[in-house]
Amino acid sequence: MSPESKFKLTYATMYDPPEELHTRFDEALAHLKAKFGQEYAMIINGKEVFAKEKIEDRFPANTDVVIGVFQKGTADDARAALAAARKAFPMWSHMKWQDRVALIRKAAALMDERIYEIGAAISLEVGKNRMEGLGDIAEAADLFRYACSRMEANDGFVAPMAKDPLIGFESTNESVLRPYGVWLVISPFNFPAALTGGPAGAALVAGNTVVMKPASDTPWTTRLICECLRDAGVPEGVFNYVTGPGSSVGQTLVDSPEVDGVTFTGSYDVGMKIYRDFGAGRWVRPTILELGGKNPVIVSRHADIETAAIGIVRSAFGLQGQKCSAASRVFAEAPIYDALVHRVVELTKNLTVGDPTERSITTGPVVNKSSYGDFQQFCEELHQSGNILTGGKILTEGDYAKGYFCAPTIAELPYDHHLWQHEMFVPITTVGKVNSLDEAMKLANNVDYGLTAGFYGTDDEAAWFFDKIEAGVTYANRGQGATTGAWPGFQPFGGWKGSGSSGKNSGGLYYLQLYMHEQIHTRVRKA
Ligand code: NAP
Ligand code: MG
């Protein structure tokens, strides 16, 4: 966006962007296409590091296209990154916090400047539609700035405490929050910018140094963010970027005693393994886990059906259902069930599936072969046990043949079916009829997850919903998205139960503190 533009891009405003966003996205896309196939290094201790083996990053809408070649790093690279971060820690943590904030703000400004190029890269790498791609990097920049603003608002987290009542002596007491050391950040494929920017931004502002490992499906976006940090002048070794398989590079990082804290965003299974492995260390270290979701939407008989249907479809199929916040379960009261489901199905059929970089496309492919296979397997189960109202198949005709395209799917399913519990992470949402809001709430809470939730109904009902629902991010009567579209500073993002470990949401008031431990300074003098 040009500086003079008053438009603020968020996931809630992206449905109606100014024309300029499209023209500049198209220019950036053409520029990136000219660079397809280029090789990118890891960045360790400020140096470009290459590995013997490579990872090909392919366009999920046309897998013939290699968008970039990345390094299949090894355990040695992981150890080198940790050593670099350890070496840089004394310098970075002793820098005045105002100077750290200035560097991180500068990196955020570079992300703004490069928003079209990075947004287009995200669209190509993940398969997000263009507005979702732009939103992801805009969110990352805002997460950087949000961490800075919390440091400023708390004056670097140095706070005077009360004087204790000594006889003949005088004391001053002070609370100081200080960084832990080397922070490991492991991110998932679906928000490669925001889920790098949120944890890494907070860790860096707090004074930790960082080792970052992105998902193997999405190394490019994270590399582009590293370049913003590097070009902003963040000193070498402070932020290290390693790529390679989670099972080798990732596991080496998790198992290392050189890690002082970790933020992992990804699936429940990998997250719980990291929690247990990390727990084998010599002492307890901070472990911030942001895991999966199975997010419910409850629709009351008093709801505005049009708003509910729009919000549900946006949240069910944004990024092809591959958001941790995706609306994957809908419970609607019997009197409006048919009308709501009819409208949801109609809107789902209107979605445009195709090349996600194209302006007219709402719905791209799923990210990789494994997700494509999952979709087909779930559809088979739905055909057997449920009632598919729309979708239920992969798309393979014409231009679809070379990508992982799936028809957005709405299905009814008996409540005892295991897919009501399982995070599918593909474009499938199940709908069910309920006889009361209490019944809906019981079903909604009957999962291990507790990430986001949506409600449509009266204000009084909404107050009841907020009180009863077990989830970290909850919305009432939001047409911009029933369960998705949180933004730093507006809707801090984090989960309860199996969806998260810290109980404090990213982009919120209490998040930055997770990256620091408290030290009390008591000074005593003779009165
Ligand atoms: P994933 O398969 O769990 O992978 C996440 C990251 O962990 C990747 O970088 C992966 O590397 C790495 N990894 C895998 N095994 C590892 C190991 N043994 N040790 C260390 N690292 C390891 O998740 P995903 O498929 O990328 O993302 C989807 C999941 O993320 C969903 O469950 C979604 O709900 C969740 N998510 C949660 C939030 C939230 O805020 N709560 C936000 C977004 C996504 P490789 O790619 O190399 O395997
Ligand atoms: Mg890829």
Side-chain angles (χ1 to χ4, degrees):
M1 280 150 288
S2 61
E4 61 275 12
S5 165
K6 293 234 167 17
F7 177 72
K8 166 78 182 161
L9 175 65
T10 73
Y11 300 121
T13 62
M14 69 181 179
Y15 298 102
D16 191 17
E19 192 58 27
E20 182 198 357
L21 262 71
H22 286 298
T23 45
R24 298 205 46 198
F25 183 94
D26 286 327
E27 285 163 20
L29 184 64
H31 180 224
L32 291 187
K33 281 186 173 167
K35 295 200 290 192
F36 272 172
Q38 192 175 312
E39 182 167 349
Y40 300 89
M42 296 182 278
I43 302 179
I44 300 174
N45 206 23
K47 312 281 178 308
E48 303 252 318
V49 174
F50 292 86
K52 236 190 247 138
E53 289 185 70
K54 311 293 171 189
I55 306 172
E56 279 180 347
D57 193 357
R58 286 173 185 266
F59 184 30
N62 178 353
T63 57
D64 287 348
V65 176
V66 176
I67 56 184
V69 175
F70 290 82
Q71 309 306 312
K72 192 168 177 181
T74 63
D76 283 343
D77 296 313
R79 285 187 280 268
L82 290 169
R86 178 66 61 203
K87 192 165 127 253
F89 178 65
M91 173 274 301
W92 184 246
S93 57
H94 288 95
M95 184 184 276
K96 272 170 58 186
W97 66 262
Q98 291 89 341
D99 294 340
R100 286 200 302 269
V101 160
L103 286 170
I104 300 305
R105 282 196 182 280
K106 198 163 166 198
L110 287 175
M111 289 185 206
D112 287 347
E113 243 171 62
R114 301 174 188 177
I115 183 171
Y116 296 100
E117 184 158 331
I118 303 179
I122 295 170
S123 181
L124 288 162
E125 179 168 65
V126 184
K128 283 191 194 203
N129 76 35
R130 54 169 63 188
M131 294 312 300
E132 296 263 13
L134 291 170
D136 192 355
I137 181 64
E139 184 186 2
D142 271 7
L143 283 163
F144 267 33
R145 281 186 283 262
Y146 195 80
C148 292
S149 71
R150 294 319 301 160
M151 199 71 175
E152 289 159 345
N154 290 282
D155 208 10
F157 291 96
V158 178
M161 304 302 292
K163 288 179 182 301
D164 46 340
L166 301 177
I167 297 166
F169 294 90
E170 206 170 71
S171 79
T172 55
N173 298 316
E174 188 179 56
S175 157
V176 184
L177 293 191
R178 300 183 61 186
Y180 281 94
V182 173
W183 206 276
L184 171 61
V185 177
I186 299 179
S187 60
F189 77 85
N190 66 338
F191 285 86
L195 298 176
T196 299
L204 291 171
V205 166
N208 300 283
T209 53
V210 169
V211 174
M212 172 81 223
K213 194 211 94 66
S216 296
D217 281 316
T218 54
W220 195 13
T221 307
T222 309
R223 159 91 203 192
L224 293 170
I225 290 177
C226 293
E227 290 174 12
C228 292
L229 286 161
R230 181 193 65 195
D231 298 347
V234 172
E236 60 188 35
V238 169
F239 189 88
N240 303 278
Y241 158 80
V242 287
T243 48
S247 53
S248 55
V249 174
Q251 192 67 45
T252 302
L253 292 166
V254 168
D255 289 339
S256 171
E258 284 301 313
V259 175
D260 296 305
V262 63
T263 305
F264 168 83
T265 313
S267 61
Y268 175 86
D269 289 345
V270 175
M272 288 306 287
K273 177 172 169 25
I274 288 177
Y275 173 67
R276 296 191 175 106
D277 292 350
F278 208 59
R282 280 163 59 211
W283 52 76
V284 177
R285 294 164 293 169
T287 312
I288 305 176
L289 303 172
E290 310 286 352
L291 308 178
K294 186 70 183 171
N295 312 294
V297 185
I298 298 176
V299 187
S300 135
R301 64 191 73 199
H302 306 297
D304 181 289
I305 289 182
E306 185 63 14
T307 307
I310 291 172
I312 288 167
V313 171
R314 283 177 170 167
S315 290
F317 301 118
L319 185 47
Q320 297 76 264
Q322 302 167 112
K323 294 187 187 179
C324 49
S325 54
S328 58
R329 301 178 293 148
V330 177
F331 303 107
E333 281 201 285
I336 49 88
Y337 180 82
D338 288 342
L340 177 80
V341 170
H342 177 80
R343 188 66 183 133
V344 164
V345 167
E346 208 167 55
L347 290 171
T348 302
K349 286 180 172 159
N350 287 345
L351 294 170
T352 50
V353 180
D355 177 340
T357 63
E358 280 175 22
R359 179 176 182 160
S360 61
I361 296 299
T362 56
T363 313
V366 296
V367 69
N368 58 29
K369 199 170 182 176
S370 152
S371 294
Y372 194 51
D374 287 350
F375 177 83
Q376 293 169 72
Q377 187 215 309
F378 298 141
C379 285
E380 224 164 89
E381 291 191 56
L382 295 176
H383 278 293
Q384 265 170 29
S385 314
N387 176 26
I388 294 178
L389 302 171
T390 182
K393 57 178 195 302
I394 52 170
L395 302 172
T396 53
E397 312 245 298
D399 286 349
Y400 290 139
K402 289 185 169 170
Y404 304 124
F405 290 101
C406 305
T409 300
I410 302 279
E412 294 174 318
L413 198 61
Y415 282 135
D416 60 2
H417 196 280
H418 81 107
L419 288 183
W420 277 108
Q421 306 285 325
H422 182 77
E423 184 190 44
M424 291 187 265
F425 227 59
V426 292
I428 296 176
T429 288
T430 49
V431 293
K433 193 185 287 183
V434 291
N435 291 313
S436 68
L437 291 179
D438 285 328
E439 184 190 356
M441 186 58 75
K442 220 166 147 190
L443 290 162
N445 284 335
N446 183 32
V447 288
D448 286 349
Y449 294 113
L451 193 49
T452 71
F455 179 78
Y456 296 91
T458 66
D459 282 348
D460 283 351
E461 289 170 338
W464 164 87
F465 163 77
F466 290 137
D467 182 48
K468 299 287 180 207
I469 193 74
E470 296 165 359
V473 190
T474 63
Y475 306 94
N477 295 318
R478 189 158 170 272
Q480 294 78 11
T483 60
T484 54
W487 200 266
F490 303 140
Q491 295 95 11
F493 193 81
W496 290 13
K497 295 158 71 177
S499 295
S501 69
S502 75
K504 304 291 181 289
N505 294 4
S506 169
L509 295 174
Y510 316 108
Y511 185 74
L512 183 58
Q513 293 91 317
L514 299 174
Y515 292 81
M516 294 177 272
H517 43 193
E518 187 166 13
Q519 191 173 55
I520 301 302
H521 299 166
T522 291
R523 294 185 171 82
V524 179
R525 284 179 219 88
K526 269 207 149 88

